[in-house]
Amino acid sequence: MSKKAVLIVLDSVGIGALPDAAAYGDAGADTLGHIINTCHPSLPNLMAMGLGNIDGASFPGAVPSPAAAYGRLREVSAGKDTTTGHWEIAGVQLSRPFPTFPNGFPQAFISRFEQAVGRQTIGNKPASGTAILDELGEEHIATGKLIVYTSADSVFQIAANEAVVPLEELYRDCEIAREMLSDELEVGRVIARPFVGERAGAFRRTGGRRDFSAMPPETMCDALAAAGKTVYGVGKIEDIFDHRGITKSNHAAGNPACMEATFAAMKEDFDGLLFVNLVDFDMVYGHRRDVQGYARALEEFDRQLPQIQALMGDEDMLVLTADHGCDPCHTGTDHTREHTPLLVWGRRLRPGINLGTRQTYADISATVLDFFGVTKRLRGTSFLGQLAP
């Protein structure tokens, strides 16, 4: 009998600072707590599942009988970026973070990159993705020079207007950068940032974004695929894992499109993992410090949760979590080092179980492998036994 594990990563929806958050400049960060206590979004379905019951939750909403198992996860890996978080969810723990470049990339590398792609560059500094378009977009259009920039995360980003640099050329340039960024320059992701518009103030990033991640070591995706299971990525999942272990994918862009892709995938007949990333919480609201927008996005997901549950089969398991925080009420515009929420629901799984504070995101990987009877073990401890009826 086929069954699905539906794993949805609410990108950046953290639930309170980790014990080592101060070392990352994130003491006091609390993405969910600050948004809920500031904007008071209506989240009846998430609260009914037990979101407000999670240990350390700083917001009201605990219910007497949660409909799901609930808990929170700690990140063991060094870092607080998308790649590190997703890889740990999938069973990989990194002992050292991907490198960051607060002063831009070495000029020697930039010169070699320019020669390799046949275009000069401008920028090469940490910047907000929207602000740097207003600053350099017109110069880019006039000169054809690529806008390259980074952030507090381990990323090399290339922005180009689609009327100046065709998408396929931009993707090729990113692939060249990915190949060149090795050893001490091996960033977690190279990101293509296409945009449209003709002048500052009117530039708009498009859905053509693509992430070119470092090659991961073996993850639960590989183990599931080797066992003959489908690993179905929605959103940027295939990019985060550099396509490794992903057997089917829908590269939808943005929460609305990703949710439609999720609903469509849940109606398909397959045996395996549906792995979903909902990027807008992070990209559109967290980084832009849009607290009200973030709250509305949480409300929209909450409204869609019953539809997800209605599409679940009797043997299926739903896991909701996040990969890091991005507290729009905290200082700066970057990710925050936080616990992540854990909600687990299934028609034949025990509700109301307090899974406590899990010591690694990788407990999800161990549980998913256990759920499918895959004997391969990576990092983490399965909590599936606690959910047995």
Side-chain angles (χ1 to χ4, degrees):
M1 177 183 295
S2 64
K3 62 181 181 179
K4 298 181 180 72
V6 181
L7 171 55
I8 301 179
V9 179
L10 310 178
D11 200 312
S12 85
V13 181
I15 193 166
L18 285 170
D20 63 354
Y24 293 79
D26 295 328
D30 184 1
T31 300
L32 269 174
H34 288 148
I35 292 167
I36 291 174
N37 291 325
T38 299
C39 300
H40 311 289
S42 176
L43 306 174
N45 298 303
L46 286 166
M47 293 302 180
M49 290 184 78
L51 184 66
N53 294 73
I54 293 174
D55 292 350
S58 64
F59 48 86
V63 295
S65 300
Y70 58 92
R72 64 179 181 173
L73 300 139
R74 285 182 174 170
E75 187 169 23
V76 170
S77 301
K80 53 177 179 175
D81 59 273
T82 294
T83 302
T84 301
H86 280 78
W87 284 12
E88 185 165 325
I89 289 169
V92 174
Q93 295 172 344
L94 298 178
S95 59
R96 61 183 181 88
F98 288 108
T100 57
F101 296 88
N103 299 312
F105 288 82
Q107 188 56 48
F109 166 78
I110 294 295
S111 297
R112 287 190 292 112
F113 173 71
E114 290 175 339
Q115 184 175 10
V117 300
R119 287 182 184 268
Q120 292 183 296
T121 65
I122 49 178
N124 190 27
K125 61 183 179 180
S128 159
T130 51
I132 202 163
L133 296 186
D134 286 336
E135 178 187 349
L136 299 176
E138 292 180 1
E139 181 181 352
H140 159 72
I141 291 171
T143 65
K145 296 178 181 179
L146 298 172
I147 302 172
V148 300
Y149 64 106
T150 187
S151 72
D153 294 327
S154 182
V155 292
F156 181 80
Q157 303 183 87
I158 308 175
N161 191 289
E162 292 186 6
V164 177
V165 180
L167 278 177
E168 290 309 312
E169 181 182 341
L170 176 59
Y171 296 156
R172 184 212 65 177
D173 293 348
C174 287
E175 289 171 348
I176 291 171
R178 177 72 277 170
E179 184 70 23
M180 295 176 65
L181 288 162
S182 59
D183 300 326
E184 72 277 3
L185 299 179
E186 187 180 26
V187 294
R189 288 176 294 159
V190 174
I191 306 178
R193 294 286 197 180
F195 68 98
V196 294
E198 298 179 354
R199 61 185 181 278
F203 294 130
R204 177 177 59 84
R205 297 200 293 198
T206 72
R209 165 186 170 157
R210 282 196 52 192
D211 294 36
F212 299 79
S213 287
M215 176 65 75
E218 185 178 22
T219 72
M220 72 172 173
C221 302
D222 300 294
L224 290 169
K229 305 299 180 183
T230 296
V231 182
Y232 196 147
V234 170
K236 63 181 184 178
I237 293 297
E238 64 176 350
D239 289 344
I240 293 169
F241 292 93
D242 197 26
H243 301 261
R244 179 171 174 172
I246 309 299
T247 65
K248 187 171 183 178
S249 185
N250 185 327
H251 198 88
N255 284 12
C258 285
M259 287 307 303
E260 288 304 315
T262 298
F263 296 141
M266 292 182 72
K267 295 173 184 176
E268 296 183 27
D269 183 18
F270 67 87
D271 184 43
L273 173 66
L274 178 59
F275 199 168
V276 181
N277 173 277
L278 298 180
V279 69
D280 284 357
F281 297 111
D282 182 56
M283 183 177 71
V284 178
Y285 306 112
H287 285 301
R288 298 181 189 177
R289 299 179 61 80
D290 183 353
V291 186
Q292 295 288 345
Y294 207 132
R296 289 192 297 270
L298 288 168
E299 288 183 326
E300 178 60 22
F301 178 77
D302 188 87
R303 285 191 291 269
Q304 294 169 318
L305 189 50
Q307 186 175 350
I308 297 170
Q309 292 173 296
L311 290 170
M312 301 278 290
D314 288 345
E315 302 296 326
D316 295 349
M317 175 176 69
L318 173 65
V319 180
L320 304 180
T321 190
D323 54 340
H324 50 70
C326 193
D327 185 351
C329 299
H330 193 60
T331 57
T333 62
D334 297 305
H335 294 160
T336 42
R337 176 101 169 154
E338 297 187 45
H339 295 90
T340 54
L342 176 64
L343 296 172
V344 187
W345 180 87
R347 301 187 194 282
R348 295 186 177 174
L349 299 178
R350 290 178 64 193
I353 303 300
N354 185 353
L355 296 170
T357 299
R358 314 300 300 187
Q359 296 306 304
T360 171
Y361 293 1
D363 284 4
I364 291 177
S365 168
T367 302
V368 169
L369 293 176
D370 196 8
F371 179 72
F372 287 109
V374 177
T375 56
K376 176 71 178 181
R377 287 294 174 261
L378 301 168
R379 299 286 186 173
T381 302
S382 173
F383 49 76
L384 188 65
Q386 295 176 251
L387 309 182

